[in-house]
Amino acid sequence: MTPNASHTTVSHVQRWVLTAPGRPMTPESVPALPLSAGQVRVRVAGCGVCRTDVDYAFGAAQTNHSLPLTLGHEISGTVVEATRGSTHLLGKAVVVPAVIPCTTCSLCTAERSAACSRQTMPGNDQDGGFAEYVTVPGWPLAVVEDFAGDVHAPLGAAGVSLAELSVVADAVSTPFQAIEQADLAPGDFAVFFGVGSVGGFGAQIAQARGAAVVAVDVREERLERMRSCGIDRTLNAAGLDARAVGERLTELAHQAGARPEEWKLFETSGTVAGQEIAFQCLTHQATLSVIGLTREPARLRLSRLAPLRARVLGSWGCDPRHYPAALRLVLEGKVRIGPFIKQYPLAEINAVFDEVHHHAVSHRPVLVPNP
């Protein structure tokens, strides 16, 4: 057994457990299992609620690990126990990557770990972050610098709390990875179809990289929020067909002095309509990155790609090596997360999930144990 070194020894873990799809999650206290080699135990500061979590809870998607299971893959917290090799993390504030590569497969060894086929995901392959503590490997954790031990204290120039930084685990890092993969460069014309939290963060990342960014959505309040974050080019697509959206984007590209070709399009709405319109807006040599997930098929004429020499890329999660850069953008205030999230006590998990399921929330919930 690998010896532990810890600031505190955790004897029990309070967590919320999904026992069957469609049933309320139930609280329970279970003994804390000993750490395996390379693992650390993180006291959860906050865990964001992703649409995927809600799909698991209501049966629209199935977890890889059998139920019962604690959901939650968007985690921030502090390391309170560590095994040999990870003791340098003790007391550190960290963000836990939403998907963790295996490090040994052919893709990982070729430095393409974002596409690892054996990656693991808290709240899907193992118990996740809707709990007081979570056990994860130590090596991929992103350390939050200048943390003084108070999880509620403002961090960085942006003054965000450690609980708020939980959304970096997925909602910020996932579009960061997609932008990396699309080779976004200064001066590129970048369009985000759907600017909830993921699209809203992605648009800000793209603008921080010097792109001419357009935020597209059917909800005016979301577009107003983007304007408050410095994204001045917005397009309300409510009632517009793909042709009308494309024509308006062409006008905006011209006004921005961008090329009519080689656009970088990001589908972040997670809707069939968003995917179909984004695909129809492809231009010559354009790149469409699909980030949003749908459960229904979209109707796309793939042969459209041929004469345009365009490409469509899927993007899922984020390589752990990119987390420090994504985290830095938030701490420096270049990507604002405050307007997009709202904190709730973890004890309200079932009510929050029900509201997200029925599209009754306009912010990304962050559940906080023992607020």
Side-chain angles (χ1 to χ4, degrees):
M1 179 180 293
T2 303
N4 292 352
S6 61
H7 284 169
T8 181
T9 300
V10 177
S11 60
H12 285 77
V13 175
Q14 298 284 338
R15 63 183 186 180
W16 287 79
V17 179
L18 178 67
T19 57
R23 292 185 182 177
M25 283 167 280
T26 55
E28 66 176 20
S29 177
V30 295
L33 297 176
L35 299 180
S36 298
Q39 288 186 326
V40 301
R41 200 174 329 267
V42 176
R43 179 186 289 120
V44 177
C47 187
V49 178
C50 176
R51 185 76 203 178
T52 303
D53 296 315
V54 178
D55 285 346
Y56 292 151
F58 285 87
Q62 186 175 349
T63 57
N64 291 332
H65 191 287
S66 59
L67 301 181
L69 185 70
T70 298
L71 303 178
H73 59 267
E74 203 168 59
I75 308 163
S76 62
T78 52
V79 176
V80 296
E81 288 187 71
T83 52
R84 182 179 298 164
S86 297
T87 54
H88 64 287
L89 293 170
L90 281 169
K92 300 289 187 181
V94 296
V95 174
V96 180
V99 289
I100 300 171
C102 73
T103 74
T104 58
C105 71
S106 60
L107 288 168
C108 285
T109 55
E111 298 188 349
R112 296 198 295 272
S113 60
C116 173
S117 60
R118 299 207 298 261
Q119 60 189 202
T120 58
M121 177 178 175
N124 182 12
D125 298 285
Q126 64 161 78
D127 283 323
F130 296 133
E132 189 177 8
Y133 297 94
V134 65
T135 299
V136 292
W139 72 265
L141 303 185
V143 174
V144 182
E145 302 295 344
D146 301 323
F147 175 69
D150 183 355
V151 298
H152 303 293
L155 298 167
V160 296
S161 71
L162 184 57
E164 291 174 313
L165 288 177
S166 63
V167 298
V168 174
D170 183 8
V172 175
S173 58
T174 293
F176 188 99
Q177 175 71 69
I179 287 168
E180 283 282 326
Q181 183 175 262
D183 300 319
L184 185 78
D188 280 349
F189 188 65
V191 184
F192 288 80
F193 295 87
V195 285
S197 54
V198 174
F201 298 146
Q204 294 181 76
I205 295 167
Q207 181 151 290
R209 291 195 170 198
V213 179
V214 178
V216 180
D217 209 291
V218 295
R219 296 169 60 175
E220 186 59 33
E221 66 270 20
R222 287 184 173 180
L223 298 175
E224 179 57 36
R225 183 168 60 189
M226 296 311 303
R227 289 189 283 269
S228 73
C229 292
I231 307 295
D232 297 325
R233 301 180 189 88
T234 61
L235 172 57
N236 191 327
L240 300 180
D241 61 15
R243 180 184 293 275
V245 172
E247 290 174 350
R248 182 61 181 140
L249 289 177
T250 299
E251 295 172 4
L252 290 170
H254 178 72
Q255 293 170 12
R259 299 183 303 276
E261 308 90 11
E262 298 183 280
W263 292 357
K264 303 295 174 65
L265 310 178
F266 299 87
E267 205 303 295
T268 45
S269 75
T271 66
V272 170
Q275 290 184 350
E276 292 177 348
I277 290 176
F279 188 81
Q280 289 300 315
C281 290
L282 285 167
T283 61
H284 285 85
Q285 293 283 173
T287 298
L288 170 59
S289 297
V290 179
I291 304 170
L293 302 179
T294 67
R295 301 302 168 192
E296 303 80 28
R299 296 183 62 184
L300 309 174
R301 187 168 63 87
L302 292 179
S303 57
R304 176 176 170 77
L305 297 172
L308 296 176
R309 294 185 60 84
R311 61 176 180 164
V312 178
L313 303 173
S315 192
W316 169 264
C318 182
D319 188 320
R321 63 180 173 167
H322 293 315
Y323 273 78
L327 185 59
R328 194 177 310 117
L329 287 174
V330 174
L331 292 173
E332 291 175 353
K334 294 177 181 177
V335 174
R336 294 180 59 196
I337 61 175
F340 295 84
I341 63 178
K342 184 176 180 180
Q343 297 185 47
Y344 299 83
L346 179 57
E348 296 180 12
I349 185 170
N350 287 311
V352 170
F353 268 54
D354 190 65
E355 289 186 349
V356 175
H357 180 60
H358 291 98
H359 304 281
V361 294
S362 58
H363 293 75
R364 193 176 190 89
V366 173
L367 298 178
V368 180
N370 305 318

